[in-house]
């Protein structure tokens, strides 16, 4: 018991680098364009939906410690086809999120060539993962300190000087729920602690019971402070047009000297968040291959290449705002399935009441269906196409396996 506070702090520090990525550095621009200042109360809805989903994944990870994340939970609880839909939603969401994180990096660190900078980050992070690099507790603490320290400077600077009168405000309260869906992606890195990968030490339920609310609550407080600061300094109309809101807020607050620190923080946060996103997609692909939904001969290196190529395509094909929208919508569909499977967990496998999964399911569907229409349409199309392709791959593999077993060399002598 004496070590629990230390374990909670370590667990939260592990999760923060996966959460503080593209959302805090770039998410407020498209959100402000839709809802203006209403993005701040919308964050509370996003955080609550994330809290319910975090509880659900933590319970399922404890019940099924050796399966491939949400895809594996849904397959064990709901069946093959719901699991394939879950995998499709997750992979599309991860690809779009990887593109958003990389484009955020490019906008801050390589503003003259943001797409090239984004592609360079994808390649570098994929190579780091292939080389076996992992964000240990010590590295995660260092990343968290750097990012939180710089964000504190941005907030302080934004409130230290009166802003220039805004040229107008944008957004409407009618987009409150849609923006809550869009900003959900800002909290979606909680699986770093609720569903550890194979070989990682799982966190005890007694620690997660405290660490999950602390992680989501701390992230919510950070997002609220940063959002209020950049909105105050830039105004919603100007913020909506900014490719790098934190940088522009510092310039507007006569603190341009701090811009290099923001660039450093964006680079550090970009590598950390992208590493988690790529690893998460790799785990789902591995689960699909192990269960026969993808060719079983695919090696881990080949799966890493697939993930990196998907991220690079997202960088090239989607602008930052659209990538964030697709990432949010697809990820919400993914958590709709994982919450649905958490509802049918046996009582003795639960740490939290079933109603949290019910709330998570309802909120995930509501927020996903309220995201901007282009993101919703792309997500639905990707969900259908991905599910069909996975089903086709499994069918082809089953057919080829049957033909091999029926070939002459497999036929018993005398027949």
């Amino acid at each position: 018991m004496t070590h629990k506070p230390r374990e909670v702090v370590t667990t939260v520090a592990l999760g923060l680098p996966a959460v503080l990525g593209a959302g805090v550095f770039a998410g407020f621009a498209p959100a402000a364009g839709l809802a203006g200042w209403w993005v701040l109360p919308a964050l509370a809805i996003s955080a609550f939906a994330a809290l319910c989903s975090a509880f659900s994944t933590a319970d399922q990870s404890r019940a099924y410690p050796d399966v491939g994340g949400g895809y594996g939970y849904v397959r064990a609880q709901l069946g093959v086809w719901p699991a394939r839909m879950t995998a499709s939603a997750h992979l599309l969401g991860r690809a779009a999120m990887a593109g958003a994180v990389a484009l955020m990096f490019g906008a801050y660190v390589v503003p003259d060539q943001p797409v090239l900078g984004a592609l360079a980050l994808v390649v570098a992070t994929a190579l780091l993962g292939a080389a076996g690099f992992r964000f240990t507790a010590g590295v995660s603490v260092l990343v968290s300190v750097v990012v939180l320290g710089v964000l504190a400077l941005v907030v302080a600077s934004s409130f230290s000087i009166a802003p220039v009168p805004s040229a107008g405000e944008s957004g409407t309260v009618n987009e409150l729920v849609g923006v809550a869906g869009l900003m959900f992606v800002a909290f979606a890195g909680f699986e770093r602690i609720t569903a550890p990968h194979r070989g990682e030490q799982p966190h005890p339920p007694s620690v997660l019971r405290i660490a999950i609310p602390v992680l989501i609550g701390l992230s919510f407080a950070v997002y609220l402070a940063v959002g209020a600061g950049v909105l105050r300094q830039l105004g919603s109309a100007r913020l909506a047009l900014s490719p790098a809101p934190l940088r522009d807020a510092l310039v507007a607050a006569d603190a341009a000297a701090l811009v290099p620190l923001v660039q450093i923080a964006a680079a550090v946060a970009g590598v950390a968040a992208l590493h988690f996103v790529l690893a998460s997609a790799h785990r789902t692909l591995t689960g699909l291959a192990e269960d026969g939904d993808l060719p079983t001969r695919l090696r881990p290196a080949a799966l890493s290449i697939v993930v990196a190529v998907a991220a690079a395509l997202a960088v090239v094909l989607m602008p930052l705002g659209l990538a964030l929208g697709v990432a949010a919508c697809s990820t919400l569909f993914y958590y709709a399935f994982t919450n649905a499977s958490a509802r049918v967990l046996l009582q003795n496998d639960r740490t939290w009441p079933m109603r949290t999964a019910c709330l998570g399911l309802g909120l995930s569907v509501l927020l996903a269906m309220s995201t901007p229409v282009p993101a919703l349409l792309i997500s639905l199309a990707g969900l259908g196409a991905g599910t069909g392709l996975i089903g086709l791959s499994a069918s082809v593999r089953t057919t080829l396996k049957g033909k091999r077993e029926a070939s002459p060399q497999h036929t018993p002598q005398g027949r």
Side-chain angles (χ1 to χ4, degrees):
M1 295 295 292
T2 57
H3 297 289
K4 185 181 292 187
R6 182 185 303 172
E7 293 175 7
V8 168
V9 171
T10 301
T11 303
V12 171
L14 277 172
L16 275 175
V19 175
L20 298 177
V24 72
F25 283 91
F28 288 108
L34 292 171
W37 281 85
W38 289 101
V39 65
L40 299 182
L43 285 170
I45 303 173
S46 306
F48 185 66
L51 188 66
C52 294
S53 298
F55 289 155
S56 294
T57 55
D59 269 350
Q60 291 179 102
S61 177
R62 187 167 60 88
Y64 302 99
D66 296 323
V67 301
Y71 159 78
Y73 310 149
V74 174
R75 190 181 182 99
Q77 295 285 106
L78 300 181
V80 174
W81 281 103
R84 291 169 179 169
M85 296 176 71
T86 302
S88 300
H90 188 250
L91 291 172
L92 177 60
R94 295 294 87 183
M97 190 65 218
V101 171
L103 287 169
M104 175 277 292
F105 171 91
Y108 278 92
V109 181
V110 196
D112 294 332
Q113 296 288 341
V115 173
L116 290 180
L119 292 174
L121 179 69
V122 170
V123 173
T125 308
L127 290 175
L128 275 177
F133 176 80
R134 294 292 180 268
F135 276 81
T136 61
V139 175
S140 297
V141 168
L142 180 60
V143 170
S144 300
V145 169
V146 170
V147 175
L148 290 175
V150 172
L151 292 178
L153 289 176
V154 172
V155 173
S157 300
S158 297
F159 283 100
S160 64
I161 295 178
V164 176
S166 176
E169 297 297 330
S170 64
T172 170
V173 67
N174 295 334
E175 297 291 342
L176 177 69
V177 178
V179 166
L182 180 66
M183 293 304 293
F184 176 86
V185 76
F187 300 93
F190 54 75
E191 279 197 25
R192 179 66 182 89
I193 64 171
T194 62
H197 292 191
R198 290 174 183 172
E200 294 182 342
Q201 184 68 28
H203 305 289
S206 60
V207 172
L208 288 179
R209 195 175 291 113
I210 302 173
I212 291 174
V214 170
L215 175 63
I216 300 298
L218 178 59
S219 304
F220 170 68
V222 170
Y223 276 94
L224 197 62
V226 173
V230 295
L231 277 164
R232 177 182 184 272
Q233 198 57 235
L234 297 177
S236 61
R238 185 177 172 189
L239 174 59
L241 300 175
S242 174
L246 273 62
R247 179 194 64 202
D248 292 345
L250 285 178
V251 173
D254 198 24
L258 299 177
V259 167
L261 294 180
V262 171
Q263 292 177 312
I264 293 172
V268 170
V271 172
L274 186 58
H275 181 274
F276 166 76
V277 170
L278 297 182
S280 179
H282 190 280
R283 178 170 65 172
T284 296
L285 286 174
T286 301
L288 287 166
E290 290 177 348
D291 289 330
D293 282 334
L294 290 179
T296 55
R297 293 182 180 179
L298 287 175
R299 304 295 182 187
L303 295 179
S304 297
I305 293 174
V306 170
V307 171
V309 169
L313 287 174
V315 167
V316 174
L317 297 177
M318 296 184 190
L320 178 54
L322 180 59
L324 282 170
V326 173
C329 186
S330 299
T331 302
L332 282 162
F333 280 133
Y334 164 74
Y335 282 114
F337 283 107
T338 55
N339 278 296
S341 64
R343 290 178 64 250
V344 296
L345 270 179
L346 296 176
Q347 190 65 36
N348 58 356
D349 288 325
R350 292 189 176 279
T351 305
W352 290 274
M354 186 180 70
R355 66 176 63 92
T356 60
C358 296
L359 284 170
L361 170 59
L363 282 171
S364 295
V365 174
L366 173 64
L367 296 183
M369 298 302 293
S370 301
T371 50
V373 173
L376 176 60
L377 293 178
I378 291 173
S379 299
L380 289 173
L383 180 62
T387 304
L389 288 173
I390 293 172
L392 179 62
S393 172
S395 177
V396 169
R397 181 178 178 276
T398 301
T399 301
L400 293 176
K401 182 179 178 181
K403 289 182 177 180
R404 286 196 301 268
E405 291 175 350
S407 61
Q409 60 267 31
H410 290 97
T411 304
Q413 292 183 354
R415 292 187 62 183

